[in-house]
Amino acid sequence: MNSTRGPRLVLIGKQGAGKGTQAKRIAERFHMQHLSTGQLFRDSAAAGIDAGLKAKKFMDRGDFVPDEIVIDVVEERFANPKEVEHGFVLDGFPRTETQAVELDRILGSRTLDLVLNMEVPTEIVMARLASRKREDDTEEGIRRRLELYETETKPLVDFYDCLGLLVTVNGVGEEDEIFGRMLAAIETRLTY
Ligand code: ADP
């Protein structure tokens, strides 16, 4: 990649791994878009938009939103080149192999530069999620989401590793320390 744009990144990791916090900081650092599908759904549900209201039913149960709905929302964002021309960081998408394949199609020639896998032990994410107090952070919802991570999202680690795009970052520690590790991974990997 070159210096005229920021990197095109995906963050993957368990719920509560800190993807949202780090994605926001990375996006600010490179002056680029931060796209969180969870946040998009929460915002559009609050605004009474149909896709958001549909998504909310699944989110409240701790289930994944069906792929078709998620893909439509992401595709809509990428249809506007201005949104992503300076690079982007995707947080919470893709979460299934189908979504990863669809992302590849949506991106076309704007191929990904790097997939950052934030590794945090389950006991730590459980504690973080329990203190977050979001509407969908019930004990049952958390358990269900961690199960879905194992069955649906974890296979993406191998998927992106096989494509040579994956870097695993230790997600345990202070926020600044983790941000430092993320930046180092991005900068080591990419030549500006
Ligand atoms: P968390 O990391 O705790 O899951 P998010 O804000 O990323 O928080 O997502 C909240 C919820 O939104 C998820 O539990 C899921 O129901 C839904 N969601 C977000 N992104 C996706 C996605 N890519 N595929 C399916 N469901 C999603």
Side-chain angles (χ1 to χ4, degrees):
M1 67 162 280
N2 57 48
S3 56
T4 57
R5 63 167 177 84
R8 299 176 187 134
L9 306 173
V10 166
L11 296 197
I12 54 180
K14 293 183 187 112
Q15 291 70 19
K19 298 186 296 291
T21 308
Q22 296 297 332
K24 184 167 177 283
R25 292 186 63 168
I26 292 168
E28 280 166 7
R29 167 74 173 69
F30 292 98
H31 310 288
M32 59 188 198
Q33 281 285 319
H34 168 201
L35 187 72
S36 153
T37 40
Q39 196 56 50
L40 271 179
F41 292 138
R42 281 188 290 278
D43 292 346
S44 62
I49 295 165
D50 195 43
L53 296 173
K54 272 193 200 142
K56 189 171 188 310
K57 285 193 287 185
F58 296 92
M59 293 165 76
D60 286 347
R61 292 199 299 258
D63 277 335
F64 278 177
V65 175
D67 284 339
E68 313 80 73
I69 301 178
V70 187
I71 291 159
D72 272 1
V73 167
V74 173
E75 192 152 19
E76 206 174 297
R77 286 298 286 263
F78 277 91
N80 180 358
K82 277 230 160 70
E83 291 270 330
V84 288
E85 66 187 349
H86 298 301
F88 53 81
V89 50
L90 297 179
D91 147 26
F93 179 87
R95 241 176 245 224
T96 64
E97 213 163 317
T98 305
Q99 292 178 15
V101 170
E102 288 297 304
L103 174 63
D104 198 44
R105 175 186 63 75
I106 292 169
L107 292 178
S109 60
R110 302 169 291 192
T111 48
L112 291 175
D113 294 308
L114 190 61
V115 176
L116 292 152
N117 174 31
M118 294 186 69
E119 206 160 60
V120 180
T122 301
E123 314 83 77
I124 296 184
V125 298
M126 291 287 277
R128 288 185 190 166
L129 290 170
S131 65
R132 197 164 70 173
K133 299 211 169 14
R134 211 172 61 197
E135 208 180 322
D136 55 341
D137 286 338
T138 59
E139 207 178 308
E140 174 59 22
I142 292 171
R143 198 185 52 74
R144 172 88 186 117
R145 270 142 67 208
L146 287 170
E147 248 171 49
L148 284 171
Y149 171 81
E150 293 296 326
T151 56
E152 302 292 329
T153 310
K154 215 168 158 193
L156 292 183
V157 171
D158 288 337
F159 177 93
Y160 283 121
D161 198 20
C162 286
L163 293 172
L165 288 172
L166 192 87
V167 171
T168 295
V169 173
N170 176 5
V172 181
E174 294 296 320
E175 192 185 308
D176 283 348
E177 193 184 356
I178 300 166
F179 182 57
R181 290 179 199 142
M182 304 287 276
L183 279 186
I186 296 168
E187 275 153 14
T188 306
R189 178 63 181 239
L190 309 173
T191 11
Y192 286 88

